[in-house]
Amino acid sequence: MNCKEPINQNSSTNPRKRPLVEIDKPTTLIGTLVAIDHTNICYRVCSVCEKTLSDNTNACKYCNFNNSFNPGSSGSKRLFRVLMSIATDTKVFVVIMFDRAARVLFGCSADEFFDFAKTHPFAAVTTSKALEGEMLRVTLSKPKNGNAQHLRVVTVVPLRSGFQSAIETLREFY
């Protein structure tokens, strides 16, 4: 190879140069939590089928219609949906973290967090500030929904040995 020839670094010959969103398998990386969008960190779902409910309804139309043996049995629960930014040594990713992964950082269910936040209105802001700067090992995957805009956090592992979940920090703070 001649020294003056440019090295071909397109995605077909150098897989490390491909954008992360083109990688089909989940990818694990180490990064720093830069920010959490604390304005809307949970949403309501049917406690039976987990279909998303609007803010002004308490019952799932699907379960109430199909559950003729026990009508009205479907209540609602909250699940985490946390939009956040994670910075690696080369890039900042805006990602979405759903309930299973979010419980690791929050240390409680979304319902428990919501109930705590009712009596402590700045709990979400305080959580965002408390978790800012945490080093994390995250596994990211492509969204299951083709219309989704952000990579999904599949797993998250805090790397600091003295890591304390958000709810523990909040209980100490308040």
Side-chain angles (χ1 to χ4, degrees), residues 75-171:
S76 68
K77 65 180 180 179
R78 286 180 175 75
L79 298 178
F80 284 113
R81 178 178 49 212
V82 181
L83 186 65
M84 59 189 212
S85 299
I86 297 175
T88 65
D89 58 340
T90 58
K91 188 172 182 179
V92 176
F93 297 95
V94 177
V95 297
I96 191 93
M97 180 173 57
F98 287 99
D99 195 66
R100 186 175 40 199
R103 284 175 178 247
V104 173
L105 294 182
F106 282 80
C108 63
S109 70
D111 277 326
E112 290 174 71
F113 187 82
F114 183 81
D115 291 340
F116 186 88
K118 282 194 283 189
T119 56
H120 304 90
F122 295 106
V125 174
T126 306
T127 297
S128 177
K129 290 179 181 179
L131 293 175
E132 193 175 291
E134 283 292 338
M135 291 293 296
L136 307 170
R137 183 175 69 229
V138 294
T139 302
L140 303 176
S141 71
K142 287 172 58 173
K144 291 180 181 178
N145 180 346
N147 297 326
Q149 300 173 13
H150 305 291
L151 293 171
R152 290 179 62 156
V153 175
V154 179
T155 62
V156 59
V157 178
L159 297 178
R160 187 166 51 94
S161 60
F163 174 79
Q164 195 170 307
S165 70
I167 197 69
E168 291 173 36
T169 302
L170 290 172
R171 287 183 180 136

Side-chain angles (χ1 to χ4, degrees), residues 42-53 58 74-80 99 103 109-111:
C42 59
Y43 64 106
R44 289 182 339 108
V45 297
C46 172
S47 59
V48 176
C49 68
E50 293 197 348
K51 290 189 185 291
T52 303
L53 300 176
N58 244 355
S74 69
S76 68
K77 65 180 180 179
R78 286 180 175 75
L79 298 178
F80 284 113
D99 195 66
R103 284 175 178 247
S109 70
D111 277 326

Side-chain angles (χ1 to χ4, degrees), residues 17-85:
K17 293 293 179 178
R18 290 185 298 181
L20 190 62
V21 290
E22 290 181 10
I23 296 173
D24 292 327
K25 292 188 256 179
T27 302
T28 300
L29 51 90
I30 293 176
T32 304
L33 197 152
V34 178
I36 291 178
D37 178 1
H38 55 80
T39 58
N40 191 14
I41 61 171
C42 59
Y43 64 106
R44 289 182 339 108
V45 297
C46 172
S47 59
V48 176
C49 68
E50 293 197 348
K51 290 189 185 291
T52 303
L53 300 176
S54 65
D55 287 334
N56 56 2
T57 61
N58 244 355
C60 176
K61 294 176 186 174
Y62 179 79
C63 289
N64 280 343
F65 179 74
N66 286 322
N67 193 354
S68 58
F69 296 111
N70 196 5
S73 67
S74 69
S76 68
K77 65 180 180 179
R78 286 180 175 75
L79 298 178
F80 284 113
R81 178 178 49 212
V82 181
L83 186 65
M84 59 189 212
S85 299

